[in-house]
Amino acid sequence: MNKAAKTDKNKDSTGRRRATSYDVAELAGVSQSAVSRVFQDGASASKAMRNRVMAAADKLGYRPNAIARGLITQRSNMVAVVISKITNLYYPEVLVQLTQRFSEHGVRVLLFALEHESDTGTVIEQMLQFRVDGILTAAIFTPEQLETVDNADIPVVFYNRTLQDQLVSSVRCDQEEGERWLVGELVNAGHKTFGIVEGPPDSVVGIERKMSALNELSKMGITDITTVSGDFGYETGRDCFTRLVEKRGSPPDAVIAANDAMAIGCIDEAREGFGLSVPDDISIVGFDGIGPASYAAYDLTTVRQPVQRMTQAAASMLIERIENPELSPEKRAFSGKLIRGGSARLRSKNG
Amino acid sequence: MNKAAKTDKNKDSTGRRRATSYDVAELAGVSQSAVSRVFQDGASASKAMRNRVMAAADKLGYRPNAIARGLITQRSNMVAVVISKITNLYYPEVLVQLTQRFSEHGVRVLLFALEHESDTGTVIEQMLQFRVDGILTAAIFTPEQLETVDNADIPVVFYNRTLQDQLVSSVRCDQEEGERWLVGELVNAGHKTFGIVEGPPDSVVGIERKMSALNELSKMGITDITTVSGDFGYETGRDCFTRLVEKRGSPPDAVIAANDAMAIGCIDEAREGFGLSVPDDISIVGFDGIGPASYAAYDLTTVRQPVQRMTQAAASMLIERIENPELSPEKRAFSGKLIRGGSARLRSKNG
DNA sequence: TCCCGATTTGCATCCGAATGCAATACTGCC
DNA sequence: GGCAGTATTGCATTCGGATGCAAATCGGGA
């Protein structure tokens, strides 16, 4: 397109190939190794050398080839981040923050997005082919899949989930504790009948939350519990509320949704579909602390995940294990923050 | 950890290095080229050969090294996707969908997340070092940055933004048309005084939307327009509404926010802070069509971007240009969909 | 059975940078 | 000025797979 491209000895554009360290070496009148050393951190190179090489490199628009470097150093400087549609939808900032954290350590993110959390199989092969230095996953692995990456000596950190009885590293929000708080607050405030809106069957997070809530409810002597299941989405939340009421015959005192989006759906349906007042007629709580949870129209009572600290921890755990593969696995659980919103009648608010 | 790892001749784990095509060749009793060919698409290899190689590969757990392949083929099979915090926050599904589309074509996504849209400089170097085959960016480039990637012969597709007077490819939602619709509907329904909540100064999208709205308003003879500026976030939307009313002295007939999140903020503030009824006292419209826009409490009148079609188009445009670098640039603008929600008094709804 | 053309297969080389080792250039010190 | 000791530099090789070309093999027809 550019007319300069038609002239013969042009270095860039349609001219000849990208400049390599050999080109730079030749122009600077030094060896290729010298060029390589100038572009490394702890390598020895005299000031004079550095200047000559840099001048030549600038003139040629040279940039070290990370691919070639990866081949020889056996380090791709890339980590795989696996998310499923759901993960991402409700926590967009997780991904951005993770990427930024890795970036700070000179590590790039190769992204793998799954339609469903159980589609992991298809991407494992890819990650291995690209020789990622580590894997951070917000999707579950089967034991075989875990073994595959283990055999390849690739460290893995699980985000908000973990593998039963397996020695793996993970970072998660303490969901059991969170549900305990929520249930405790609700029961103490006098709620006796409960509805639970659980997540999709292939979501470990959803299952964990539901089980924790059920567990705590039973500990506190609550027996009137109705459960329906959704897919973590808003629409499903509305639908679930309807099904819940139908199943029970009447609305329960409180609804515990497995995540905020469904909780918000429940609120809307309770108000619009059943003319109920939240929280006067019914209390509704969620989990996550997503943005819309704090919108004035909902002011959701929920447990907010400490995203910042979690991503920070996940990134550094993975990087540590890349740099020192001998490190033993570690599980870190962070407490969430109970947000006492206006969507539930709690002791402290009306007692 | 595994006791098998302690035995000597173990191939994987702590044993020797990952299997290479040479290892497979040796075990199968063939040449390395043969192995290479078996793992390629259009290569010639007899059935017998294929079987022997595959058997050996399986036994050794061999996987072609995408890094090495990239070095020799000059194709990394990776594209860079650049997002800024803002982009991602309000359109998480864009990223997931893009990744899936690229995946379908065997292309991996190297993710770059910017704190602000104007931080592009820091990541260009990285993308070039990793020899990405193409760049899809939802952040703006300066002309110099564009020239840099152009010189490297890397095709670029801009997502929802474009570079003035530059020959670049882009996919966008027709925002001018969208604002025209919104303004038209509002004016026709009798709104006479307007507030505009614009985006941050470094957002091209925000600027475009604001200018389009202003332009159309002036065309329709509206002169009572007050403008305040936010950062695309919900909180800022609330704040903007307050500032808008203060600046004007009283609430306008309608507020046009540069995106949905701010529009929702405005609604909440109008209701809570000023006791206004939406849409009876004031109409509020947004842009984007994010999930919460359709929550019952807001039922926002907005223009929904056709995310699916846009990501589809963006991915295929980029891939086409990777495969055929001679292709000339192309700009594709998709019409959004006007959502006539309950947050605005429109003709069709009350006339 | 023999020969020609079409497939398969192997050989050798290349992609671009990193690095151990040896050679060389400096540095300071006596 | 000479020498030991250190800091630079270059040489040669390596990482793992792709590919043009030549050699080998196969198939089938006469």
Side-chain angles (χ1 to χ4, degrees), chain A residues 25-344:
Chain A
E26 191 182 348
L27 179 60
V30 300
S31 75
Q32 178 269 331
S33 349
V35 177
S36 171
R37 289 190 176 105
V38 167
F39 280 88
Q40 275 181 80
D41 285 329
S44 71
S46 68
K47 210 166 186 178
M49 167 99 282
R50 206 172 291 277
N51 291 340
R52 297 185 59 178
V53 169
M54 279 315 212
D58 276 359
K59 192 176 294 181
L60 296 178
Y62 167 77
R63 274 170 254 280
N65 183 329
I67 300 279
R69 172 180 291 164
L71 185 57
I72 189 77
T73 59
Q74 305 281 29
R75 277 282 228 103
S76 63
N77 284 313
M78 300 190 297
V79 295
V81 170
V82 186
I83 58 171
S84 74
K85 213 160 187 171
I86 286 163
T87 318
N88 188 46
L89 276 172
Y90 298 101
Y91 265 110
E93 66 261 45
V94 168
L95 194 50
V96 172
Q97 285 190 21
L98 277 174
T99 307
Q100 291 178 333
R101 304 264 169 279
F102 281 122
S103 244
E104 291 159 10
H105 295 268
V107 172
R108 306 301 135 204
V109 166
L110 205 52
L111 184 65
F112 294 89
L114 273 38
E115 186 71 23
H116 299 291
E117 182 157 350
S118 37
D119 295 343
T120 324
T122 58
V123 296
I124 299 248
E125 198 62 23
Q126 289 298 324
M127 304 188 300
L128 294 181
Q129 289 197 8
F130 276 86
R131 299 296 193 268
V132 295
D133 296 334
I135 298 173
L136 194 147
T137 176
I140 203 66
F141 280 25
T142 65
E144 298 77 44
Q145 291 167 344
L146 186 61
E147 198 190 332
T148 305
V149 299
D150 253 9
N151 283 344
D153 284 321
I154 301 180
V156 184
V157 171
F158 284 82
Y159 191 88
N160 252 350
R161 61 215 74 209
T162 186
L163 228 45
Q164 301 284 31
D165 311 321
Q166 293 272 359
L167 217 53
V168 297
S169 294
S170 64
V171 167
R172 40 186 277 279
C173 175
D174 192 332
Q175 319 204 90
E176 199 185 305
E177 176 187 65
E179 291 294 349
R180 214 158 50 221
W181 288 344
L182 291 170
V183 169
E185 294 269 342
L186 289 169
V187 173
N188 285 335
H191 298 80
K192 303 235 180 299
T193 62
F194 284 79
I196 288 191
V197 177
E198 65 175 318
D202 65 348
S203 162
V204 200
V205 174
I207 293 167
E208 204 175 311
R209 289 179 186 172
K210 171 197 164 192
M211 296 311 293
S212 304
L214 283 177
N215 202 25
E216 186 67 11
L217 282 169
S218 106
K219 264 195 203 147
M220 298 195 75
I222 303 289
T223 53
D224 187 336
I225 304 170
T226 311
T227 302
V228 292
S229 141
D231 70 358
F232 277 159
Y234 167 82
E235 286 301 337
T236 225
R238 297 194 65 148
D239 190 46
C240 280
F241 189 84
T242 308
R243 286 183 359 242
L244 187 59
V245 176
E246 279 171 1
K247 194 167 171 185
R248 238 193 128 259
S250 67
D253 295 342
V255 171
I256 297 176
N259 75 345
D260 287 351
M262 293 196 296
I264 290 175
C266 287
I267 293 179
D268 277 348
E269 191 60 27
R271 287 176 177 160
E272 297 236 321
F274 294 82
L276 297 171
S277 159
V278 178
D280 295 332
D281 299 327
I282 186 168
S283 289
I284 296 175
V285 304
F287 205 108
D288 277 346
I290 61 174
S294 59
Y295 289 179
Y298 303 107
D299 189 19
L300 200 63
T301 290
T302 186
V303 173
R304 177 177 302 149
Q305 296 193 41
V307 178
Q308 183 115 3
R309 282 188 301 151
M310 288 170 63
T311 54
Q312 187 92 258
S316 54
M317 275 175 67
L318 187 54
I319 288 176
E320 278 174 16
R321 277 160 186 76
I322 290 172
E323 279 164 5
N324 180 3
E326 303 305 319
L327 272 183
S328 56
E330 179 185 357
K331 294 188 203 292
R332 295 177 69 176
F334 291 90
S335 287
K337 184 174 188 326
L338 179 66
I339 308 288
R340 300 160 175 277
S343 73

Side-chain angles (χ1 to χ4, degrees), chain B residues 127-320:
Chain B
M127 304 188 299
L128 294 181
Q129 289 198 8
F130 276 85
R131 299 296 192 268
V132 294
D133 296 333
I135 299 173
L136 194 147
T137 176
I140 203 67
F141 280 25
T142 65
E144 297 77 45
Q145 292 168 342
L146 186 61
E147 197 190 332
T148 305
V149 298
D150 254 7
N151 283 343
D153 285 320
I154 301 180
V156 183
V157 170
F158 285 82
Y159 191 87
N160 253 350
R161 61 215 73 209
T162 186
L163 227 47
Q164 300 283 30
D165 312 322
Q166 295 272 358
L167 218 52
V168 296
S169 293
S170 63
V171 167
R172 38 187 277 281
C173 175
D174 193 333
Q175 321 204 87
E176 198 185 306
E177 175 188 66
E179 292 293 350
R180 213 157 51 220
W181 287 343
L182 292 170
V183 169
E185 295 270 340
L186 290 169
V187 173
N188 284 335
H191 298 80
K192 303 234 181 300
T193 63
F194 284 79
I196 288 191
V197 177
E198 64 175 319
D202 65 349
S203 161
V204 200
V205 175
I207 292 167
E208 204 174 312
R209 290 178 185 172
K210 171 196 163 195
M211 296 310 292
S212 303
L214 282 178
N215 202 24
E216 187 65 11
L217 283 169
S218 104
K219 264 194 204 147
M220 299 196 73
I222 302 289
T223 53
D224 187 334
I225 304 170
T226 312
T227 302
V228 295
S229 142
D231 69 1
F232 277 158
Y234 167 82
E235 285 301 337
T236 224
R238 297 195 64 147
D239 190 47
C240 280
F241 189 83
T242 308
R243 288 186 352 247
L244 187 60
V245 176
E246 279 171 0
K247 196 166 169 186
R248 239 194 129 258
S250 68
D253 296 341
V255 171
I256 297 176
N259 75 345
D260 287 350
M262 293 196 295
I264 290 175
C266 285
I267 293 178
D268 277 348
E269 190 60 25
R271 287 175 176 159
E272 297 237 320
F274 293 84
L276 297 172
S277 159
V278 178
D280 296 332
D281 300 326
I282 186 169
S283 289
I284 296 176
V285 304
F287 205 110
D288 277 346
I290 62 174
S294 60
Y295 289 178
Y298 302 107
D299 188 21
L300 199 63
T301 291
T302 186
V303 173
R304 177 176 303 150
Q305 296 193 40
V307 177
Q308 183 115 1
R309 283 188 301 150
M310 287 170 64
T311 54
Q312 187 91 261
S316 55
M317 274 175 69
L318 187 54
I319 288 176
E320 277 174 18

